[in-house]
Amino acid sequence: MPLFAYFLLWFGVVASGASVFFFSGIKARVLKLLLAFSGAYLFALCVLHLIPEVYSSHSKTVGIYILIGFFLQVALEIFSEGIEHGHIHVHRRHLHAFPLALMIGLCVHSFLEGMPLVQHFSDEKTRNSLLAGIILHHIPVAIALMSMLLDSGIRKGSALFYLILFACMAPLGATASNLISENNVSNLSSYFNNIMALVIGIFLHISTTILFESSEEHRFNYYKLITILFGAGLALISL
Ligand SMILES: [Zn+2]
Ligand SMILES: [Zn+2]
């Protein structure tokens, strides 16, 4: 993976998180549409690109790893309180405590997501789509994280530090995969296939949750529908 991709992965999080400093109230409606878009894109990415890729190996462990990823994300959200969906479920405005568990859950999530990025894909477009999916879905997450950190009463400098820490996780995951692949030549394809399946499980969980949560009381919303179609369409045209 080119160095520039590592940078994009990092910069996407830092830039969107730091935007909270400049635009104090990013319109909730815009943020919701962005969320619906990223959820739809992530879901379509799984179905159109990633799932066919891992199943083409005909390995029996693929399905098991997808399930492990799915339930791992369920477990991670006990810690992260679902900030991976790009919103804050628990309002801790008056708590004034650093949300350590949330930070750990989010960092593990992000680290895992970075791991399959450096593998050899049968189609280079799949890597770019995966990269775009991670960057896109981390934009609302970074905004939610930053807003929450500032609300928790810690200093701006510390908040920025934790944002940068989160930003480093996906590139670090990719780097870890590179190190593993250098030292484990024998079973490389099955390693990458399993880690990709794990991340698919994570994606399936968060994308469906995002889409589910983005519809308020199941009311019909044209803007949201169009946004979702665009999100899925973007994954489709890159097929
Ligand atoms: Zn949620
Ligand atoms: Zn993520």
Side-chain angles (χ1 to χ4, degrees), residues 104-168:
I104 294 171
L106 182 61
C107 284
V108 173
H109 161 95
S110 187
F111 186 90
L112 287 170
E113 273 176 342
M115 292 186 93
L117 270 170
V118 293
Q119 68 178 287
H120 171 78
F121 289 99
S122 56
D123 184 352
E124 195 61 24
K125 279 189 226 153
T126 307
R127 184 198 319 284
N128 297 336
S129 306
L130 176 61
L131 184 68
I134 297 174
I135 292 172
L136 203 65
H137 116 82
H138 281 178
I139 293 173
V141 178
I143 294 172
L145 176 72
M146 205 53 184
S147 317
M148 199 217 50
L149 286 174
L150 293 175
D151 274 354
S152 77
I154 63 170
R155 279 182 296 118
K156 274 187 181 176
S158 318
L160 202 61
F161 169 78
Y162 291 114
L163 176 74
I164 292 172
L165 187 69
F166 162 51
C168 290

Short mmCIF file of all heavy atoms in Angstrom, two decimals, residues 104-168:
data_model
loop_
_atom_site.label_atom_id
_atom_site.label_comp_id
_atom_site.label_asym_id
_atom_site.label_seq_id
_atom_site.Cartn_x
_atom_site.Cartn_y
_atom_site.Cartn_z
N ILE A 104 -10.50 2.82 24.36
CA ILE A 104 -9.90 1.51 24.09
C ILE A 104 -10.73 0.74 23.07
O ILE A 104 -10.19 0.20 22.09
CB ILE A 104 -9.76 0.69 25.41
CG1 ILE A 104 -8.74 1.37 26.33
CG2 ILE A 104 -9.35 -0.75 25.12
CD1 ILE A 104 -8.68 0.79 27.72
N GLY A 105 -12.05 0.71 23.26
CA GLY A 105 -12.94 0.01 22.33
C GLY A 105 -12.79 0.53 20.92
O GLY A 105 -12.66 -0.23 19.96
N LEU A 106 -12.78 1.85 20.80
CA LEU A 106 -12.68 2.49 19.48
C LEU A 106 -11.33 2.20 18.83
O LEU A 106 -11.24 1.94 17.62
CB LEU A 106 -12.90 4.00 19.63
CG LEU A 106 -12.88 4.81 18.34
CD1 LEU A 106 -13.99 4.35 17.41
CD2 LEU A 106 -13.05 6.30 18.65
N CYS A 107 -10.26 2.23 19.64
CA CYS A 107 -8.92 2.00 19.10
C CYS A 107 -8.76 0.56 18.61
O CYS A 107 -8.18 0.32 17.55
CB CYS A 107 -7.86 2.33 20.14
SG CYS A 107 -7.63 4.10 20.34
N VAL A 108 -9.29 -0.41 19.35
CA VAL A 108 -9.21 -1.81 18.92
C VAL A 108 -9.97 -1.98 17.61
O VAL A 108 -9.48 -2.59 16.65
CB VAL A 108 -9.78 -2.76 20.00
CG1 VAL A 108 -9.85 -4.19 19.48
CG2 VAL A 108 -8.93 -2.70 21.26
N HIS A 109 -11.16 -1.39 17.54
CA HIS A 109 -11.98 -1.44 16.32
C HIS A 109 -11.18 -0.92 15.12
O HIS A 109 -11.12 -1.56 14.08
CB HIS A 109 -13.25 -0.60 16.55
CG HIS A 109 -13.95 -0.18 15.31
ND1 HIS A 109 -15.01 -0.88 14.77
CD2 HIS A 109 -13.75 0.87 14.48
CE1 HIS A 109 -15.42 -0.29 13.68
NE2 HIS A 109 -14.68 0.79 13.46
N SER A 110 -10.57 0.23 15.31
CA SER A 110 -9.87 0.89 14.21
C SER A 110 -8.60 0.14 13.80
O SER A 110 -8.29 0.03 12.61
CB SER A 110 -9.54 2.31 14.63
OG SER A 110 -9.02 3.03 13.57
N PHE A 111 -7.89 -0.39 14.79
CA PHE A 111 -6.68 -1.16 14.54
C PHE A 111 -6.99 -2.37 13.66
O PHE A 111 -6.32 -2.63 12.66
CB PHE A 111 -6.08 -1.61 15.87
CG PHE A 111 -4.74 -2.28 15.76
CD1 PHE A 111 -3.58 -1.53 15.81
CD2 PHE A 111 -4.64 -3.66 15.61
CE1 PHE A 111 -2.33 -2.14 15.71
CE2 PHE A 111 -3.41 -4.28 15.50
CZ PHE A 111 -2.25 -3.51 15.56
N LEU A 112 -8.06 -3.10 14.04
CA LEU A 112 -8.47 -4.29 13.27
C LEU A 112 -8.82 -3.92 11.84
O LEU A 112 -8.44 -4.61 10.89
CB LEU A 112 -9.67 -4.95 13.94
CG LEU A 112 -9.39 -5.70 15.24
CD1 LEU A 112 -10.71 -6.10 15.91
CD2 LEU A 112 -8.54 -6.93 14.98
N GLU A 113 -9.52 -2.80 11.67
CA GLU A 113 -9.94 -2.38 10.33
C GLU A 113 -8.75 -2.10 9.41
O GLU A 113 -8.84 -2.29 8.20
CB GLU A 113 -10.76 -1.09 10.42
CG GLU A 113 -12.21 -1.33 10.65
CD GLU A 113 -12.96 -0.02 10.82
OE1 GLU A 113 -12.33 1.02 11.10
OE2 GLU A 113 -14.17 -0.04 10.69
N GLY A 114 -7.66 -1.64 10.00
CA GLY A 114 -6.49 -1.32 9.19
C GLY A 114 -5.76 -2.56 8.70
O GLY A 114 -5.05 -2.53 7.69
N MET A 115 -5.93 -3.68 9.43
CA MET A 115 -5.13 -4.89 9.17
C MET A 115 -5.26 -5.49 7.76
O MET A 115 -4.26 -5.90 7.18
CB MET A 115 -5.39 -5.94 10.25
CG MET A 115 -4.87 -5.52 11.61
SD MET A 115 -5.03 -6.81 12.83
CE MET A 115 -3.41 -7.58 12.68
N PRO A 116 -6.47 -5.60 7.19
CA PRO A 116 -6.54 -6.25 5.87
C PRO A 116 -6.12 -5.34 4.71
O PRO A 116 -6.02 -5.82 3.58
CB PRO A 116 -8.03 -6.63 5.73
CG PRO A 116 -8.75 -5.73 6.63
CD PRO A 116 -7.80 -5.30 7.71
N LEU A 117 -5.86 -4.07 4.99
CA LEU A 117 -5.59 -3.12 3.90
C LEU A 117 -4.35 -3.45 3.06
O LEU A 117 -4.29 -3.10 1.89
CB LEU A 117 -5.43 -1.71 4.48
CG LEU A 117 -6.70 -0.88 4.59
CD1 LEU A 117 -6.42 0.38 5.40
CD2 LEU A 117 -7.23 -0.51 3.21
N VAL A 118 -3.37 -4.09 3.69
CA VAL A 118 -2.09 -4.27 3.00
C VAL A 118 -1.99 -5.59 2.25
O VAL A 118 -0.96 -5.92 1.68
CB VAL A 118 -0.90 -4.15 3.98
CG1 VAL A 118 -0.80 -2.74 4.50
CG2 VAL A 118 -1.05 -5.13 5.13
N GLN A 119 -3.08 -6.37 2.22
CA GLN A 119 -3.00 -7.67 1.55
C GLN A 119 -3.00 -7.54 0.03
O GLN A 119 -3.26 -6.46 -0.51
CB GLN A 119 -4.17 -8.55 1.98
CG GLN A 119 -5.52 -8.07 1.47
CD GLN A 119 -6.63 -9.02 1.89
OE1 GLN A 119 -6.76 -10.11 1.36
NE2 GLN A 119 -7.40 -8.60 2.86
N HIS A 120 -2.71 -8.66 -0.60
CA HIS A 120 -2.78 -8.67 -2.06
C HIS A 120 -4.21 -8.98 -2.48
O HIS A 120 -4.72 -10.06 -2.23
CB HIS A 120 -1.82 -9.73 -2.62
CG HIS A 120 -2.01 -9.94 -4.08
ND1 HIS A 120 -1.50 -9.06 -5.00
CD2 HIS A 120 -2.70 -10.88 -4.77
CE1 HIS A 120 -1.85 -9.47 -6.21
NE2 HIS A 120 -2.58 -10.57 -6.09
N PHE A 121 -4.89 -8.00 -3.09
CA PHE A 121 -6.25 -8.23 -3.56
C PHE A 121 -6.19 -8.67 -5.02
O PHE A 121 -5.31 -8.25 -5.77
CB PHE A 121 -7.08 -6.94 -3.46
CG PHE A 121 -7.42 -6.55 -2.05
CD1 PHE A 121 -6.68 -5.59 -1.38
CD2 PHE A 121 -8.49 -7.16 -1.39
CE1 PHE A 121 -7.00 -5.23 -0.08
CE2 PHE A 121 -8.80 -6.80 -0.09
CZ PHE A 121 -8.06 -5.84 0.57
N SER A 122 -7.17 -9.50 -5.40
CA SER A 122 -7.21 -9.94 -6.80
C SER A 122 -7.49 -8.74 -7.71
O SER A 122 -7.14 -8.74 -8.87
CB SER A 122 -8.26 -11.03 -6.99
OG SER A 122 -9.51 -10.56 -6.54
N ASP A 123 -8.14 -7.72 -7.13
CA ASP A 123 -8.43 -6.53 -7.90
C ASP A 123 -8.02 -5.32 -7.05
O ASP A 123 -8.46 -5.19 -5.91
CB ASP A 123 -9.94 -6.47 -8.21
CG ASP A 123 -10.29 -5.30 -9.10
OD1 ASP A 123 -9.42 -4.45 -9.35
OD2 ASP A 123 -11.45 -5.25 -9.54
N GLU A 124 -7.16 -4.48 -7.61
CA GLU A 124 -6.64 -3.34 -6.85
C GLU A 124 -7.76 -2.38 -6.42
O GLU A 124 -7.65 -1.68 -5.43
CB GLU A 124 -5.59 -2.61 -7.69
CG GLU A 124 -4.72 -1.63 -6.92
CD GLU A 124 -3.89 -2.29 -5.80
OE1 GLU A 124 -3.62 -3.51 -5.87
OE2 GLU A 124 -3.54 -1.58 -4.84
N LYS A 125 -8.86 -2.38 -7.19
CA LYS A 125 -9.99 -1.50 -6.86
C LYS A 125 -10.57 -1.84 -5.49
O LYS A 125 -11.11 -0.98 -4.81
CB LYS A 125 -11.10 -1.64 -7.92
CG LYS A 125 -10.85 -0.83 -9.18
CD LYS A 125 -12.09 -0.87 -10.04
CE LYS A 125 -11.77 -1.15 -11.48
NZ LYS A 125 -12.89 -1.79 -12.19
N THR A 126 -10.47 -3.11 -5.12
CA THR A 126 -11.03 -3.53 -3.83
C THR A 126 -10.30 -2.82 -2.69
O THR A 126 -10.92 -2.37 -1.73
CB THR A 126 -10.90 -5.06 -3.67
OG1 THR A 126 -11.49 -5.67 -4.80
CG2 THR A 126 -11.60 -5.54 -2.42
N ARG A 127 -8.96 -2.70 -2.81
CA ARG A 127 -8.19 -2.02 -1.77
C ARG A 127 -8.63 -0.55 -1.66
O ARG A 127 -8.85 -0.05 -0.57
CB ARG A 127 -6.70 -2.10 -2.04
CG ARG A 127 -5.86 -1.48 -0.91
CD ARG A 127 -4.43 -1.14 -1.32
NE ARG A 127 -3.82 -2.14 -2.17
CZ ARG A 127 -3.35 -3.30 -1.75
NH1 ARG A 127 -3.41 -3.60 -0.48
NH2 ARG A 127 -2.82 -4.15 -2.60
N ASN A 128 -8.76 0.08 -2.82
CA ASN A 128 -9.15 1.49 -2.80
C ASN A 128 -10.54 1.68 -2.22
O ASN A 128 -10.79 2.63 -1.47
CB ASN A 128 -9.09 2.07 -4.22
CG ASN A 128 -7.68 2.04 -4.78
OD1 ASN A 128 -6.71 2.02 -4.02
ND2 ASN A 128 -7.56 2.00 -6.09
N SER A 129 -11.45 0.76 -2.54
CA SER A 129 -12.81 0.86 -2.00
C SER A 129 -12.80 0.65 -0.49
O SER A 129 -13.51 1.34 0.25
CB SER A 129 -13.72 -0.19 -2.64
OG SER A 129 -13.67 -0.09 -4.03
N LEU A 130 -11.99 -0.31 -0.05
CA LEU A 130 -11.89 -0.58 1.40
C LEU A 130 -11.31 0.64 2.11
O LEU A 130 -11.82 1.06 3.16
CB LEU A 130 -11.01 -1.81 1.62
CG LEU A 130 -10.71 -2.21 3.06
CD1 LEU A 130 -11.98 -2.55 3.81
CD2 LEU A 130 -9.77 -3.41 3.11
N LEU A 131 -10.28 1.22 1.52
CA LEU A 131 -9.65 2.42 2.08
C LEU A 131 -10.68 3.55 2.17
O LEU A 131 -10.82 4.20 3.21
CB LEU A 131 -8.47 2.83 1.19
CG LEU A 131 -7.63 4.01 1.66
CD1 LEU A 131 -6.86 3.64 2.91
CD2 LEU A 131 -6.67 4.46 0.57
N ALA A 132 -11.43 3.74 1.08
CA ALA A 132 -12.45 4.80 1.05
C ALA A 132 -13.51 4.54 2.12
O ALA A 132 -13.96 5.47 2.79
CB ALA A 132 -13.08 4.89 -0.33
N GLY A 133 -13.90 3.27 2.27
CA GLY A 133 -14.92 2.91 3.26
C GLY A 133 -14.49 3.26 4.67
O GLY A 133 -15.26 3.82 5.45
N ILE A 134 -13.24 2.92 5.01
CA ILE A 134 -12.74 3.20 6.36
C ILE A 134 -12.64 4.71 6.59
O ILE A 134 -13.10 5.23 7.61
CB ILE A 134 -11.38 2.50 6.60
CG1 ILE A 134 -11.52 0.99 6.50
CG2 ILE A 134 -10.82 2.88 7.97
CD1 ILE A 134 -10.22 0.23 6.56
N ILE A 135 -12.08 5.42 5.61
CA ILE A 135 -11.92 6.87 5.76
C ILE A 135 -13.29 7.54 5.91
O ILE A 135 -13.51 8.35 6.82
CB ILE A 135 -11.17 7.47 4.55
CG1 ILE A 135 -9.71 6.99 4.53
CG2 ILE A 135 -11.21 9.01 4.59
CD1 ILE A 135 -8.94 7.37 3.29
N LEU A 136 -14.22 7.14 5.06
CA LEU A 136 -15.55 7.74 5.05
C LEU A 136 -16.28 7.52 6.38
O LEU A 136 -16.84 8.44 6.96
CB LEU A 136 -16.35 7.11 3.91
CG LEU A 136 -17.51 7.89 3.36
CD1 LEU A 136 -17.00 9.17 2.72
CD2 LEU A 136 -18.24 7.05 2.32
N HIS A 137 -16.23 6.29 6.87
CA HIS A 137 -17.01 6.01 8.07
C HIS A 137 -16.33 6.57 9.33
O HIS A 137 -16.98 6.78 10.34
CB HIS A 137 -17.36 4.52 8.16
CG HIS A 137 -16.79 3.77 9.32
ND1 HIS A 137 -17.37 3.79 10.56
CD2 HIS A 137 -15.71 2.98 9.44
CE1 HIS A 137 -16.67 3.03 11.39
NE2 HIS A 137 -15.65 2.54 10.73
N HIS A 138 -15.04 6.89 9.23
CA HIS A 138 -14.37 7.49 10.39
C HIS A 138 -14.56 8.99 10.49
O HIS A 138 -14.23 9.58 11.52
CB HIS A 138 -12.88 7.13 10.38
CG HIS A 138 -12.64 5.74 10.88
ND1 HIS A 138 -11.40 5.17 10.95
CD2 HIS A 138 -13.50 4.81 11.36
CE1 HIS A 138 -11.51 3.94 11.43
NE2 HIS A 138 -12.77 3.69 11.67
N ILE A 139 -15.12 9.62 9.43
CA ILE A 139 -15.36 11.08 9.50
C ILE A 139 -16.37 11.41 10.61
O ILE A 139 -16.05 12.16 11.53
CB ILE A 139 -15.80 11.65 8.13
CG1 ILE A 139 -14.65 11.55 7.12
CG2 ILE A 139 -16.26 13.10 8.27
CD1 ILE A 139 -15.03 11.94 5.70
N PRO A 140 -17.59 10.83 10.56
CA PRO A 140 -18.53 11.14 11.65
C PRO A 140 -18.05 10.62 13.01
O PRO A 140 -18.37 11.23 14.04
CB PRO A 140 -19.83 10.44 11.23
CG PRO A 140 -19.51 9.59 10.08
CD PRO A 140 -18.21 10.01 9.51
N VAL A 141 -17.29 9.51 13.00
CA VAL A 141 -16.78 8.98 14.27
C VAL A 141 -15.83 9.98 14.92
O VAL A 141 -15.90 10.26 16.12
CB VAL A 141 -16.06 7.62 14.06
CG1 VAL A 141 -15.50 7.10 15.37
CG2 VAL A 141 -17.01 6.59 13.47
N ALA A 142 -14.92 10.55 14.10
CA ALA A 142 -13.95 11.52 14.62
C ALA A 142 -14.66 12.76 15.15
O ALA A 142 -14.29 13.30 16.21
CB ALA A 142 -12.96 11.91 13.52
N ILE A 143 -15.71 13.21 14.45
CA ILE A 143 -16.46 14.38 14.90
C ILE A 143 -17.15 14.09 16.23
O ILE A 143 -17.09 14.89 17.17
CB ILE A 143 -17.49 14.81 13.82
CG1 ILE A 143 -16.75 15.31 12.57
CG2 ILE A 143 -18.42 15.89 14.35
CD1 ILE A 143 -17.65 15.57 11.37
N ALA A 144 -17.77 12.90 16.32
CA ALA A 144 -18.46 12.52 17.55
C ALA A 144 -17.47 12.39 18.71
O ALA A 144 -17.73 12.87 19.83
CB ALA A 144 -19.21 11.20 17.36
N LEU A 145 -16.32 11.78 18.44
CA LEU A 145 -15.31 11.59 19.48
C LEU A 145 -14.82 12.93 20.02
O LEU A 145 -14.74 13.15 21.23
CB LEU A 145 -14.12 10.79 18.93
CG LEU A 145 -12.95 10.61 19.90
CD1 LEU A 145 -13.32 9.63 21.01
CD2 LEU A 145 -11.70 10.11 19.18
N MET A 146 -14.51 13.83 19.08
CA MET A 146 -13.97 15.13 19.47
C MET A 146 -15.00 15.94 20.27
O MET A 146 -14.66 16.53 21.30
CB MET A 146 -13.57 15.88 18.20
CG MET A 146 -12.50 16.90 18.40
SD MET A 146 -11.07 16.19 19.20
CE MET A 146 -10.09 17.66 19.37
N SER A 147 -16.25 15.94 19.81
CA SER A 147 -17.29 16.66 20.54
C SER A 147 -17.43 16.10 21.94
O SER A 147 -17.57 16.85 22.92
CB SER A 147 -18.64 16.54 19.84
OG SER A 147 -18.51 16.70 18.47
N MET A 148 -17.36 14.78 22.04
CA MET A 148 -17.54 14.16 23.34
C MET A 148 -16.37 14.42 24.27
O MET A 148 -16.56 14.70 25.45
CB MET A 148 -17.72 12.67 23.15
CG MET A 148 -18.35 12.01 24.32
SD MET A 148 -17.63 10.43 24.56
CE MET A 148 -15.92 10.87 24.50
N LEU A 149 -15.14 14.38 23.72
CA LEU A 149 -13.96 14.65 24.54
C LEU A 149 -14.00 16.07 25.08
O LEU A 149 -13.70 16.31 26.26
CB LEU A 149 -12.68 14.43 23.71
CG LEU A 149 -12.31 12.98 23.43
CD1 LEU A 149 -11.11 12.92 22.49
CD2 LEU A 149 -12.01 12.23 24.72
N LEU A 150 -14.39 17.02 24.21
CA LEU A 150 -14.44 18.42 24.66
C LEU A 150 -15.53 18.60 25.72
O LEU A 150 -15.35 19.35 26.67
CB LEU A 150 -14.66 19.35 23.46
CG LEU A 150 -13.50 19.40 22.47
CD1 LEU A 150 -13.85 20.24 21.26
CD2 LEU A 150 -12.22 19.93 23.13
N ASP A 151 -16.63 17.88 25.54
CA ASP A 151 -17.72 17.94 26.53
C ASP A 151 -17.32 17.35 27.87
O ASP A 151 -17.85 17.74 28.90
CB ASP A 151 -18.94 17.16 26.01
CG ASP A 151 -19.81 18.03 25.15
OD1 ASP A 151 -19.51 19.24 25.07
OD2 ASP A 151 -20.77 17.52 24.54
N SER A 152 -16.41 16.36 27.83
CA SER A 152 -16.05 15.68 29.08
C SER A 152 -15.16 16.56 29.95
O SER A 152 -14.83 16.20 31.07
CB SER A 152 -15.36 14.35 28.78
OG SER A 152 -14.02 14.59 28.40
N GLY A 153 -14.78 17.72 29.43
CA GLY A 153 -14.09 18.70 30.27
C GLY A 153 -12.58 18.61 30.25
O GLY A 153 -11.91 19.34 30.97
N ILE A 154 -12.00 17.72 29.41
CA ILE A 154 -10.54 17.67 29.35
C ILE A 154 -10.03 18.82 28.49
O ILE A 154 -10.78 19.41 27.72
CB ILE A 154 -10.01 16.30 28.84
CG1 ILE A 154 -10.45 16.05 27.40
CG2 ILE A 154 -10.44 15.19 29.75
CD1 ILE A 154 -9.77 14.85 26.77
N ARG A 155 -8.74 19.13 28.62
CA ARG A 155 -8.17 20.27 27.89
C ARG A 155 -8.18 20.00 26.39
O ARG A 155 -8.13 18.86 25.96
CB ARG A 155 -6.74 20.53 28.37
CG ARG A 155 -6.70 21.33 29.68
CD ARG A 155 -5.27 21.61 30.10
NE ARG A 155 -4.54 20.37 30.42
CZ ARG A 155 -3.46 19.96 29.76
NH1 ARG A 155 -2.96 20.68 28.78
NH2 ARG A 155 -2.87 18.84 30.11
N LYS A 156 -8.20 21.10 25.61
CA LYS A 156 -8.23 20.98 24.15
C LYS A 156 -7.02 20.20 23.63
O LYS A 156 -7.14 19.38 22.71
CB LYS A 156 -8.24 22.36 23.50
CG LYS A 156 -9.63 22.94 23.37
CD LYS A 156 -9.60 24.23 22.57
CE LYS A 156 -11.00 24.81 22.48
NZ LYS A 156 -11.03 26.11 21.80
N GLY A 157 -5.86 20.47 24.23
CA GLY A 157 -4.64 19.79 23.82
C GLY A 157 -4.73 18.29 24.03
O GLY A 157 -4.33 17.50 23.16
N SER A 158 -5.29 17.89 25.18
CA SER A 158 -5.44 16.46 25.46
C SER A 158 -6.43 15.84 24.49
O SER A 158 -6.22 14.72 24.01
CB SER A 158 -5.93 16.22 26.88
OG SER A 158 -5.27 17.07 27.78
N ALA A 159 -7.52 16.56 24.21
CA ALA A 159 -8.53 16.04 23.28
C ALA A 159 -7.88 15.78 21.92
O ALA A 159 -8.10 14.74 21.30
CB ALA A 159 -9.68 17.02 23.14
N LEU A 160 -7.05 16.74 21.49
CA LEU A 160 -6.35 16.60 20.21
C LEU A 160 -5.42 15.40 20.23
O LEU A 160 -5.30 14.66 19.25
CB LEU A 160 -5.58 17.88 19.92
CG LEU A 160 -5.23 18.16 18.46
CD1 LEU A 160 -6.49 18.28 17.61
CD2 LEU A 160 -4.40 19.43 18.34
N PHE A 161 -4.75 15.19 21.37
CA PHE A 161 -3.86 14.04 21.52
C PHE A 161 -4.62 12.72 21.32
O PHE A 161 -4.16 11.83 20.60
CB PHE A 161 -3.19 14.06 22.90
CG PHE A 161 -2.46 12.80 23.24
CD1 PHE A 161 -1.21 12.54 22.71
CD2 PHE A 161 -3.04 11.85 24.08
CE1 PHE A 161 -0.54 11.37 23.01
CE2 PHE A 161 -2.39 10.67 24.38
CZ PHE A 161 -1.13 10.43 23.84
N TYR A 162 -5.80 12.60 21.95
CA TYR A 162 -6.57 11.37 21.82
C TYR A 162 -7.13 11.19 20.42
O TYR A 162 -7.25 10.07 19.93
CB TYR A 162 -7.69 11.31 22.88
CG TYR A 162 -7.13 11.16 24.26
CD1 TYR A 162 -7.26 12.16 25.21
CD2 TYR A 162 -6.42 10.01 24.61
CE1 TYR A 162 -6.71 12.03 26.47
CE2 TYR A 162 -5.87 9.86 25.87
CZ TYR A 162 -6.02 10.88 26.80
OH TYR A 162 -5.47 10.74 28.03
N LEU A 163 -7.44 12.31 19.78
CA LEU A 163 -7.91 12.24 18.39
C LEU A 163 -6.80 11.67 17.50
O LEU A 163 -7.02 10.78 16.68
CB LEU A 163 -8.31 13.64 17.89
CG LEU A 163 -8.74 13.71 16.43
CD1 LEU A 163 -10.12 13.09 16.24
CD2 LEU A 163 -8.73 15.15 15.92
N ILE A 164 -5.57 12.20 17.71
CA ILE A 164 -4.42 11.74 16.91
C ILE A 164 -4.13 10.27 17.20
O ILE A 164 -3.81 9.49 16.30
CB ILE A 164 -3.20 12.65 17.15
CG1 ILE A 164 -3.48 14.04 16.55
CG2 ILE A 164 -1.93 12.06 16.56
CD1 ILE A 164 -2.45 15.09 16.87
N LEU A 165 -4.30 9.88 18.48
CA LEU A 165 -4.09 8.48 18.85
C LEU A 165 -5.05 7.57 18.08
O LEU A 165 -4.65 6.55 17.51
CB LEU A 165 -4.31 8.33 20.36
CG LEU A 165 -3.98 6.97 20.97
CD1 LEU A 165 -2.47 6.74 20.94
CD2 LEU A 165 -4.49 6.88 22.40
N PHE A 166 -6.32 7.97 18.05
CA PHE A 166 -7.33 7.21 17.30
C PHE A 166 -6.97 7.18 15.80
O PHE A 166 -7.06 6.14 15.15
CB PHE A 166 -8.72 7.83 17.54
CG PHE A 166 -9.77 7.44 16.54
CD1 PHE A 166 -10.00 6.11 16.22
CD2 PHE A 166 -10.56 8.41 15.93
CE1 PHE A 166 -10.98 5.75 15.29
CE2 PHE A 166 -11.54 8.06 15.01
CZ PHE A 166 -11.73 6.72 14.70
N ALA A 167 -6.50 8.33 15.30
CA ALA A 167 -6.14 8.43 13.88
C ALA A 167 -5.01 7.47 13.51
O ALA A 167 -4.93 6.98 12.38
CB ALA A 167 -5.75 9.86 13.52
N CYS A 168 -4.11 7.21 14.47
CA CYS A 168 -2.95 6.35 14.20
C CYS A 168 -3.31 4.87 14.16
O CYS A 168 -2.53 4.06 13.66
CB CYS A 168 -1.88 6.57 15.28
SG CYS A 168 -1.09 8.17 15.18
#
